[in-house]
Amino acid sequence: MSCRLNIQVFSSLLLLAFSNLAFAINISLIIPDNKGPAFWALVHHISAAAAERVDVNLEVIYGGENRYSVRSIIEEITARKNKPDYLIFRPFYGNATIVFDKVEASGIHFVTLEQAFSGDEAKQLQRPQQKYKYWIGEVSYDNASGGQLLLDALLGELKIQQPTLKPSITAIGGDFDNLSQTREYALTQLQHNRDPRFNQVFPSHWNPNSLKENMGLILERYPATSIFWCAGDQLAIETLKQYRQLSDKPIMIGGFDWLPEALTKIKQGELSASVGGHFLMGAIAIIKIVDFQNGVDRFSTHPESYQFELITRQNVDTYLDFLKKNNWNHVAFEQFSTSKTEGTPLPLTVNNIIKFAQFKSQ
């Protein structure tokens, strides 16, 4: 009798395991870059950790670094016999409508990252769940307020570190897409108001190597530069390197992304600030997809944009200690899901993870 009971229990557990596997959500995440850049590698790692905690089968595909490659990848996915339940990707300006039409026709629910389209294209696409019923949501950070946050931090650090030095702001920008333009909005406002503190935005096309050729010319044009506002941490790190080869004057430099090397340089006093936390975008999308699948649409109830977090010399130790451990697999991401917890979950931010998230036993 005991043997028969054990067999029945084992069979039930085995059936449950196969049932959970069969009904797990299948999500494909397209990384908008090739393998290599530290920021997108972090997005991948954190997304995979979150997917594991909320019982999601996650496929990660690299290579969507431009509008043509994204379209090609999506055409391959939508042509599959076994399609994913959900698709997460970053659209690009110029062919977002074609891509959205393709995904919509396939019947795959999709979530977009970082609103890269604007103007007439944005008007044509409308908002999630309007024109496209399978476009269930968007995870986009407020780049305009993020750019202002970085600018204010650099001005504040200059006042603390070099109170007699006049602000002279030179910016190393990204590209000419909507993300870059909104991130640089605070600077274009300075330019529009003819603020004497502002010099110019130099586009880098997100290529740090461009600074090797251009830093000498930049400093020749603006030798009094005391602040370098950079659209990304890789640009900030290269700006620091090239600047130090040409000048030993005090300088405040900051960027976006919270790359570990940048945070280490903030701790060492070489860089001044970094705006980030947006490497959580994939994890946020996954957790909200799980809630959507379980009947709770948190995409439509969340503000349109998420807020960046700021690291300076004043708080770098708290964040750096946590990020250096790289223990994302031990973060209880399910605490940020409505369908996995009781009550209203906290917003998924790095600060909330550090303060409140429980960790798996190691």
Side-chain angles (χ1 to χ4, degrees):
M1 182 70 178
S2 175
C3 180
R4 185 184 302 172
L5 181 61
N6 287 338
I7 292 173
Q8 289 176 340
V9 170
F10 176 77
S11 298
S12 298
L13 291 173
L14 192 61
L15 181 62
L16 180 62
F18 277 110
S19 176
N20 287 338
L21 184 63
F23 291 103
I25 304 172
N26 296 299
I27 300 176
S28 293
L29 167 64
I30 301 175
I31 298 291
D33 211 329
N34 294 311
K35 285 188 176 181
F39 175 77
W40 289 109
L42 195 53
V43 171
H44 176 181
H45 181 56
I46 296 170
S47 299
E52 181 181 1
R53 290 293 292 193
V54 294
D55 302 318
V56 162
N57 296 324
L58 181 67
E59 174 192 31
V60 178
I61 305 169
Y62 279 83
E65 72 274 14
N66 59 53
R67 61 181 179 174
Y68 304 108
S69 57
V70 165
R71 180 177 177 179
S72 177
I73 292 169
I74 286 178
E75 286 176 347
E76 184 276 321
I77 291 173
T78 55
R80 292 177 185 174
K81 181 179 179 181
N82 296 317
K83 299 177 178 63
D85 302 304
Y86 295 88
L87 178 62
I88 303 170
F89 68 97
R90 180 192 188 273
F92 282 85
Y93 177 79
N95 72 347
T97 301
I98 296 172
V99 169
F100 278 34
D101 287 345
K102 192 74 176 178
V103 183
E104 183 80 6
S106 74
I108 302 173
H109 291 92
F110 63 102
V111 175
T112 55
L113 306 176
E114 296 189 315
Q115 190 182 85
F117 43 83
S118 60
D120 291 339
E121 190 172 39
K123 291 178 182 177
Q124 186 175 2
L125 295 171
Q126 300 181 29
R127 299 297 303 154
Q129 301 184 44
Q130 293 180 353
K131 178 180 178 181
Y132 297 93
K133 70 175 183 178
Y134 288 100
W135 182 21
I136 61 171
E138 178 181 73
V139 179
S140 178
Y141 279 73
D142 189 341
N143 280 285
S145 67
Q148 185 69 59
L149 184 65
L150 178 60
L151 178 61
D152 291 343
L154 293 173
L155 287 168
E157 286 295 306
L158 181 68
K159 189 173 183 180
I160 293 171
Q161 302 296 328
Q162 301 291 332
T164 62
L165 201 59
K166 292 183 179 179
S168 178
I169 306 160
T170 300
I172 309 300
D175 213 324
F176 299 100
D177 62 1
N178 185 55
L179 186 149
S180 298
Q181 290 177 4
T182 52
R183 192 168 286 187
E184 296 162 10
Y185 179 75
L187 304 170
T188 57
Q189 287 298 104
L190 293 180
Q191 184 179 33
H192 177 75
N193 295 329
R194 298 183 179 180
D195 192 311
R197 300 173 298 172
F198 177 69
N199 298 323
Q200 185 178 342
V201 177
F202 291 90
S204 68
H205 303 283
W206 301 108
N207 181 10
N209 291 328
S210 65
L211 294 163
K212 296 178 182 179
E213 301 174 359
N214 297 323
M215 182 55 70
L217 298 174
I218 292 171
L219 290 179
E220 185 177 332
R221 180 176 294 185
Y222 301 111
T225 296
S226 57
I227 290 174
F228 274 107
W229 181 106
C230 301
D233 277 347
Q234 288 185 314
L235 297 174
I237 291 166
E238 190 62 34
T239 294
L240 173 65
K241 179 181 177 181
Q242 298 303 321
Y243 180 83
R244 283 298 170 222
Q245 292 179 4
L246 300 170
S247 176
D248 59 358
K249 295 179 181 178
I251 192 74
M252 304 295 124
I253 303 175
F256 284 71
D257 294 345
W258 286 8
L259 298 186
E261 183 181 356
L263 301 189
T264 298
K265 290 187 180 297
I266 291 175
K267 181 178 176 66
Q268 294 169 345
E270 297 181 86
L271 293 179
S272 303
S274 181
V275 170
H278 54 311
F279 47 53
L280 294 173
M281 66 176 79
I284 291 172
I286 290 167
I287 289 170
K288 291 197 171 184
I289 284 172
V290 170
D291 289 340
F292 183 88
Q293 180 76 8
N294 286 286
V296 182
D297 182 5
R298 294 175 62 209
F299 288 108
S300 62
T301 58
H302 192 281
E304 289 189 3
S305 297
Y306 297 79
Q307 296 302 313
F308 285 95
E309 301 173 73
L310 174 69
I311 293 178
T312 64
R313 301 177 195 186
Q314 283 68 47
N315 65 350
V316 67
D317 285 336
T318 299
Y319 286 92
L320 188 58
D321 289 345
F322 171 77
L323 294 173
K324 272 188 171 180
K325 292 176 182 176
N326 202 30
N327 277 343
W328 295 103
N329 288 327
H330 303 296
V331 174
F333 283 101
E334 66 272 16
Q335 288 193 78
F336 302 98
S337 165
T338 297
S339 58
K340 298 288 184 177
T341 58
E342 295 182 1
T344 303
L346 290 168
L348 177 49
T349 66
V350 178
N351 187 48
N352 282 340
I353 289 174
I354 293 172
K355 286 184 176 180
F356 305 112
Q358 297 178 11
F359 290 78
K360 292 193 297 184
S361 59
Q362 301 185 22

